[in-house]
Amino acid sequence: MSELLIAPVVLLLGLLGVAVVSDLRSHRIPNLLVLLGLVLGLVGQTWAAGFIGLGHSLLGMLIGFGIFLPMYAVGGMAAGDVKLMAMAGAFLTPHDALWAAFFSLIAGGVCGLLIVLVQGQALQTLGRYWLMLRARAYFPPHAAEVAGKPFPYSVAVLLGTLASVFWLTLGH
C-alpha cells in the first residue's frame, strides 16, 4: 500500500461516497460516475508509475470486476455494483484491489446480516437456510422477507475499500 498516495485515495473515496449517495437515493450508480472514476484511476496510475502503473490499474480493475461478476451472474448484486468495484480496482494495485474486494464482500455480508437483524427476521432467514441445507436445494426468500430485497451494495464497496486502505496502510 505504500505505493498509494493520499490524493488518489481521497479521490477514490470521494467517488465511492458520491456513488453511495446516488445508490441510497435512486438505487442506481451512474455509469458516468463509474466511467469518470475508471479514467481517473487509469490516468492517475499511469501518471504516477508509467506503464507499470497502467498495468496495475488494468489488473486491479479486472480483479474488482472479476470477483464481483459471478455474484451478478447469479442475481446476488446489480451490474452497477460490479462496475463500481472495477472502478475502485482501477485506483489500486492488483494486490490492493484483491483486498478491497475481499473486505467489500465481508462488509456486504455484515450489512446484510444487520439488515436482517434490524428487521427482526433472523429466525425466519436462518430457518430458510436450514431448510436449504437439509434439502440441498435453493429456496428463494418469501416476498415479505427482507433477505430477498436488494440493498445498496455501494455502501459495502465503500466500507470494504476504506477498510482495505487502512488495513494495508498498517503494513499487513
Side-chain angles (χ1 to χ4, degrees), residues 68-144:
F68 275 34
L69 185 62
M71 285 161 279
Y72 167 73
V74 298
M77 68 176 49
D81 304 320
V82 178
K83 293 182 280 187
L84 189 66
M85 192 68 239
M87 183 200 80
F91 281 83
L92 306 168
T93 66
H95 177 262
D96 297 344
L98 190 59
W99 278 108
F102 174 71
F103 281 122
S104 295
L105 291 172
I106 291 172
V110 170
C111 288
L113 178 63
L114 288 174
I115 291 169
V116 167
L117 289 172
V118 166
Q119 294 293 322
Q121 294 185 357
L123 290 177
Q124 179 182 3
T125 302
L126 285 173
R128 186 171 52 80
Y129 281 114
W130 176 250
L131 287 174
M132 286 190 297
L133 283 172
R134 291 184 59 205
R136 295 184 183 150
Y138 176 72
F139 300 124
H142 299 287

Side-chain angles (χ1 to χ4, degrees), residues 17-110:
V18 171
V20 166
V21 170
S22 176
D23 202 5
L24 289 171
R25 285 186 177 168
S26 66
H27 303 288
R28 295 192 47 87
I29 299 168
N31 285 330
L32 187 59
L33 176 72
V34 173
L35 181 60
L36 174 65
L38 286 170
V39 169
L40 290 172
L42 288 164
V43 169
Q45 288 262 35
T46 305
W47 180 76
F51 284 117
I52 291 173
L54 176 61
H56 282 171
S57 185
L58 288 169
L59 283 173
M61 180 180 66
L62 288 172
I63 286 170
F65 184 81
I67 289 176
F68 275 34
L69 185 62
M71 285 161 279
Y72 167 73
V74 298
M77 68 176 49
D81 304 320
V82 178
K83 293 182 280 187
L84 189 66
M85 192 68 239
M87 183 200 80
F91 281 83
L92 306 168
T93 66
H95 177 262
D96 297 344
L98 190 59
W99 278 108
F102 174 71
F103 281 122
S104 295
L105 291 172
I106 291 172
V110 170

